[in-house]
Amino acid sequence: MAESALYTVILVAYFGALMGLGFWFNRRNRSRQEYFLARGDLGPATLGFSYSATQMSGSSYMGAVGTERELGYNFAPAGVSSAAAAWFTYILLGERLRRVAARVRCTTIVDVFQARYPGRAVGMTATSLMLLAFIPLIAAQLKAAGNLFEVLLGMPYLLGLFVFGGIVILYTVIGGMHAVAWTDLIQGSIMIVGFAVLAPVAVGAAGGFAEMHQRYAEFNPGGISFLGEMPALWVVSSFLVWGFFQIGGAPAAVTRFLIPEDRGTLRRALVFSIAFSSFIYIGSTLIAIASGVLLPDLAQTDLALPTLVQLLMHPVFGGILVAAVLGATMSTIDSVLLLASSLVVENLYVPLTGREVSQERGVRLARWTTLAIGAVAMIVAIDPPATILFIVTMSFSLMASAFTFPLLLGMWWPRATRAGGMAGMIGGALTCVVWYVLGYIEHGSFDNWIAGLWPALVGPAVSLACLVVVSLRTPPPPREVQEVFFGEAADFARAIAREQPVAVPEQEEHQ
């Protein structure tokens, strides 16, 4: 059997299994809250893998491997911080966000913003900024899949795009969060298998660990050390941006903290997330360095991984790894797609119409919205600009700038006010956009910035300053907000220690 035909057989079986899973979980979605959140129905392994698979995306395979091939170990701090992102988000947000979400009965992360900073304007602003970032983010993942089909299956880019996009959108539409989280677990397991096979094979083909690094030093002398020709600011920036700023830059992953109903599930999920992410990023670094040695003349860096698969792997293992790459891409697409549709339904349609929506009609509306957003992203992916990692970075930078500190200080600082939260979101987002534009004016490129400072660093800094200054100059939040988010602190701490529920005021669940 021809190599491309064998890949096709493996992928058809894989996609068929995913569709079957979507239909299986279809019957569990009796309400739009179950469709969007599946609260309390997911265990620690499913949550942990789903968080990390959503955070990592297809860029971890296609874009990041290609970028690290060019930059060498200069790019490693970004990988290390991405693996450590779970520490930042779980520890600083996880338990507090889980308990607050239970109190105000949130369906989306915007519900948390709107409860902390009451007012329709806050919800609309947060929703609009997220949707603005999500469409190009989904398009970037679809581009990664289209490129993979093109290289490994000889399929035209557009055909691969519509085949892959149609499948992932369809099983998300059918199965909702149950299908998304369980497919993330399956796909995460396949990712581990794929990298566990490819990494040692690639290192061996490059001559072994020592010789591979000697040859890579000839290919890229400045990339053999962590600093090399890159300034120390680059290393620090990479660690902060891809680690700490995942708090605001990856809302689809952070949404997982709204799902568990007890602290123990969340703590065990952290263990799965750390183990999974660490293994993947170590493997991707080895594969990237080996690709520089084995593919020194590769013209398009985004294709380093699939080209290496085609060069080194038996078609059976190659098919498994192709499924792993597609799994990473699917994990981000389905999660972001589901969050985007939940924002449209829960935070735009329901508040703006002011009408109650029956559960049956709510689920139907959620599915049609998911389908429509997926279709728009596919249209954008037909001719997307720039490289995969660059598109992901711009979307991430916008969300990190707008949401990191309004979310973090909203959970930990009682004095943060609605006006401060709005100023933080708008100030951070505008600064991020302006910084990209100024970089383009000076350097003629969106990936070169003023003074070498990433927009994902400058935007959050301005957001923090705006939030603090405006909050201190405006009246404190209403007492009911203080009670929900910070009230009865002693009982709250004791309940956490005993893993018991806290008696707190609840807001009425919006229908």
Side-chain angles (χ1 to χ4, degrees):
M1 182 181 293
E3 184 176 292
S4 60
L6 187 54
Y7 284 157
T8 302
V9 170
I10 293 173
L11 291 177
V12 167
Y14 178 65
F15 287 147
L18 293 183
M19 291 301 299
L21 198 63
F23 281 106
W24 172 265
F25 283 114
N26 177 50
R27 57 186 181 180
R28 309 246 337 234
N29 298 315
R30 295 177 295 272
S31 69
R32 65 178 191 272
Q33 284 75 25
E34 290 177 325
Y35 180 83
F36 287 133
L37 208 57
R39 181 169 171 78
D41 287 349
L42 305 178
T46 310
L47 279 171
F49 271 66
S50 187
Y51 170 89
S52 291
T54 299
Q55 172 219 347
M56 291 164 67
S57 81
S59 68
S60 302
Y61 283 77
M62 301 285 285
V65 169
T67 301
E68 190 161 7
R69 173 188 175 275
E70 295 299 304
L71 298 179
Y73 285 109
N74 301 168
F75 189 74
V80 172
S81 62
S82 293
W87 286 105
F88 289 112
T89 54
Y90 275 80
I91 292 172
L92 294 177
L93 281 184
E95 175 60 14
R96 185 169 287 264
L97 187 58
R98 182 191 69 79
R99 286 187 174 272
V100 169
R103 294 175 176 189
V104 298
R105 301 186 184 278
C106 299
T107 301
T108 72
I109 194 70
V110 170
D111 290 340
V112 177
F113 279 108
Q114 202 161 332
R116 180 61 182 86
Y117 308 113
R120 180 174 293 182
V122 173
M124 294 298 174
T125 301
T127 298
S128 300
L129 289 172
M130 286 186 191
L131 291 175
L132 181 65
F134 284 163
I135 297 299
L137 182 59
I138 296 172
Q141 309 306 318
L142 292 171
K143 177 182 183 293
N147 288 339
L148 192 68
F149 275 82
E150 188 176 20
V151 172
L152 294 181
L153 303 182
M155 185 180 293
Y157 171 78
L158 287 182
L159 180 59
L161 170 68
F162 285 109
V163 168
F164 174 82
I167 291 171
V168 68
I169 292 169
L170 188 56
Y171 85 70
T172 305
V173 167
I174 294 170
M177 178 59 80
H178 288 97
V180 166
W182 276 97
T183 52
D184 285 349
L185 176 61
I186 295 169
Q187 290 161 177
S189 302
I190 295 174
M191 293 179 209
I192 291 175
V193 172
F195 268 30
V197 173
L198 180 60
V201 170
V203 172
F209 193 77
E211 184 178 341
M212 176 182 75
H213 284 85
Q214 291 177 359
R215 294 170 64 185
Y216 186 81
E218 299 173 1
F219 168 74
N220 180 15
I224 200 62
S225 67
F226 284 106
L227 284 179
E229 300 175 354
M230 305 298 292
L233 181 61
W234 166 268
V235 178
V236 175
S237 299
S238 295
F239 188 83
L240 286 174
V241 169
W242 297 113
F244 176 78
F245 288 119
Q246 293 280 346
I247 288 172
V254 170
T255 297
R256 299 299 182 271
F257 299 148
L258 307 181
I259 296 174
E261 292 185 333
D262 63 90
R263 186 180 181 222
T265 298
L266 194 63
R267 293 176 65 181
R268 292 190 292 273
L270 170 61
V271 175
F272 283 102
S273 289
I274 291 293
F276 173 49
S277 299
S278 299
F279 181 89
I280 292 299
Y281 280 106
I282 290 171
S284 67
T285 297
L286 295 175
I287 293 167
I289 299 300
S291 71
V293 173
L294 298 171
L295 306 169
D297 300 320
L298 185 67
Q300 191 173 346
T301 59
D302 280 349
L303 301 181
L305 181 61
T307 305
L308 207 59
V309 170
Q310 200 169 39
L311 177 68
L312 298 177
M313 306 294 289
H314 185 278
V316 172
F317 290 108
I320 294 173
L321 192 55
V322 170
V325 176
L326 292 174
T329 306
M330 286 179 169
S331 296
T332 297
I333 292 175
D334 56 24
S335 297
V336 174
L337 184 58
L338 195 63
L339 177 55
S341 62
S342 69
L343 295 177
V344 171
V345 174
E346 301 290 337
N347 301 113
L348 288 181
Y349 179 82
V350 173
L352 289 177
T353 60
R355 296 182 299 177
E356 290 190 5
V357 179
S358 68
Q359 298 299 351
E360 181 180 352
R361 185 169 182 269
V363 172
R364 186 166 61 249
L365 177 63
R367 287 179 172 145
W368 279 109
T369 304
T370 303
L371 183 62
I373 293 174
V376 171
M378 286 181 67
I379 293 172
V380 174
I382 291 175
D383 187 22
T387 63
I388 297 168
L389 190 64
F390 177 59
I391 300 171
V392 172
T393 300
M394 287 192 71
S395 299
F396 173 87
S397 298
L398 178 66
M399 292 188 289
S401 299
F403 303 126
T404 298
F405 288 111
L407 182 57
L408 188 61
L409 268 65
M411 294 294 105
W412 289 97
W413 189 37
R415 189 63 179 78
T417 66
R418 177 177 61 185
M422 278 288 289
M425 282 191 283
I426 295 173
L430 286 178
T431 301
C432 176
V433 173
V434 169
W435 207 255
Y436 270 116
V437 172
L438 290 176
Y440 186 84
I441 292 173
E442 180 168 326
H443 301 289
S445 170
F446 283 117
D447 54 0
N448 286 307
W449 312 300
I450 303 298
L453 291 174
W454 286 19
L457 288 176
V458 181
V462 172
S463 173
L464 174 61
C466 291
L467 193 156
V468 172
V469 170
V470 173
S471 291
L472 291 177
R473 296 179 66 87
T474 51
R479 191 179 73 172
E480 56 269 22
V481 172
Q482 300 255 8
E483 288 177 349
V484 169
F485 280 80
F486 305 101
E488 304 180 17
D491 289 343
F492 186 75
R494 285 194 294 271
I496 291 177
R498 296 194 301 264
E499 296 191 12
Q500 294 179 0
V502 187
V504 295
E506 291 186 352
Q507 295 183 2
E508 184 180 358
E509 180 183 3
H510 63 263
Q511 298 296 322

